[in-house]
Amino acid sequence: MARRQRSPPALLMPLSSLAIAIILSILRPAAATASAKQSWLDEFTTDGEVRSDFDRSGKQVASLVLDESSGAGFNSTQKYLFGEFTVEMKLVPGNSAGTVTSFYLTSGEGDDHDEIDMEFMGNSTNAPTVLNTNVWASGDGKKEHQFYLWFDPSADFHKYAIIWNPTNIIFRVDDVTVRVFRRYDDLPYPTSRPMAVHATLWDGSYWATEKGKVPIDWSAGPFVVSYRGYTANACVAAADGGGGSTCPAGKNEWMQREEDDTDRLTVAWARRNCLQYNYCEDGWRFPGGFPGECSRE
C-alpha cells in the first residue's frame, strides 16, 4: 500500500509565516532608521582613512584609522561661537602608547588662535589613559590639566563634552565635570574667534606617552578609534566671516551654565583622585611666575 504523504501540521505554516513577519518587522524599522536618519558625519570634511557605519542601535559610528603612512581626522564645515559639544568615543584598545586621540575646537593655526582641547594620550597595555585638557586664547596656551581616566576608555563608548560660553569652559566625562576654566576680564579668554570642531588620531610618539619615552609599536597597528553620538548645540558663526552668529532658540541653557555645587564637588574629586599634571604647579615651566589665573582658582 502506498504511503500517504503527510502534510505539515496546520500550526506550522502560520507559525513560520508569523516568524518571518516578526523578523521583517524588526529589520524594516532598523534599516529605515539608518537610511533616513541624517548622517552627522555629513557636517564634516575628512582626512585619511575614516570608516563610517551604523551600530545596532542605529547610531552612526565614524572610525579613524592610524597606520605608518597616515593618521586620520574629521573637521566641521561650520564654525561656532559658544556652545555645548558632545561625542561618545571608544579609544584604541591594547597597547596604544604613542597615539593621540582628540576632540577639540580651534579657530585655526595662526599665532593668535583660540583652542579648547580634549586629548587622549595612549598608553601601554593595562596602564591608565591620560586625558589632557587645555585652553588657548589669542595664542596663549600652556594651561594643561591632565587626568588619569578612572575606567578603561577602550572597552566601551564613553561620553565627553565641552561647554563653552562667555563665562567659563567646562570639561565633562560621562556627565561628570572634571575641570572648569573661568574667564577673568584682565586675562586672555576665547570670546571672539569662531571655532570649528575637530577629531583626530595621530602619531604623538615625541610627546604623548611618558613625555615621549614610549613610541608607537607599529606591529600592533593599524590603530582605530571610534566616535558616535556627536551633537553641537551651539551658535553658528556667520559663513561670510563678517561677525555675528545664529543661536538655537530655546536650547541654549549652556549659555548661562556656570560651575554649581555639584561641579565643585566633582572637580575636587577629580583633583584628588585623577589629576596627574597641573600647569599651575609646574614651577620649572614658569620660572618667571605662574599665569595670572593660577592664583585665583
Side-chain angles (χ1 to χ4, degrees), residues 38-49:
Q38 184 178 9
S39 165
W40 61 259
L41 196 58
D42 290 343
E43 301 174 20
F44 294 82
T45 60
T46 61
D47 297 306
E49 185 177 352

Side-chain angles (χ1 to χ4, degrees), residues 2 12 14 43 51 53 90 100 109 121 169 192 247 272:
L12 285 181
E43 301 174 20
R51 304 170 183 170
D53 202 349
K90 187 175 182 181
V100 178
E109 301 295 331
M121 298 185 286
I169 298 165
S192 59
C247 300
R272 287 194 309 270

Side-chain angles (χ1 to χ4, degrees), residues 40 42 45 48 86 103 133 139 165 175 177 225 231-232 243 251 262 282 295-296:
W40 61 259
D42 290 343
T45 60
T86 65
F103 177 62
T133 64
N165 62 38
D175 297 322
T177 297
V225 61
T231 61
K251 297 181 179 179
T262 300
D282 190 347
S295 61
R296 308 181 194 183

Side-chain angles (χ1 to χ4, degrees), residues 14-26 28:
L15 278 176
S16 178
S17 300
L18 178 61
I20 293 171
I22 290 173
I23 292 170
L24 289 175
S25 69
I26 292 172
R28 282 195 194 104

Side-chain angles (χ1 to χ4, degrees), residues 163-234:
I163 300 173
W164 167 42
N165 62 38
T167 303
N168 51 207
I169 298 165
I170 299 174
F171 297 90
R172 310 198 80 202
V173 177
D174 284 339
D175 297 322
V176 174
T177 297
V178 296
R179 182 184 182 186
V180 177
F181 183 85
R182 301 175 188 83
R183 178 185 181 181
Y184 298 100
D185 290 340
D186 58 333
L187 297 175
Y189 185 87
T191 58
S192 59
R193 295 177 180 84
M195 293 198 269
V197 180
H198 295 255
T200 57
L201 173 61
W202 51 283
D203 177 2
S205 291
Y206 70 93
W207 163 71
T209 305
E210 296 183 26
K211 298 182 179 180
K213 294 178 182 178
V214 186
I216 286 181
D217 176 8
W218 291 111
S219 69
F223 302 95
V224 179
V225 61
S226 298
Y227 298 74
R228 74 178 186 187
Y230 167 76
T231 61
N233 185 9

Side-chain angles (χ1 to χ4, degrees), residues 264-275:
R264 280 185 277 274
L265 287 173
T266 59
V267 166
W269 172 84
R271 282 180 173 247
R272 287 194 309 270
N273 297 283
C274 306
L275 187 66

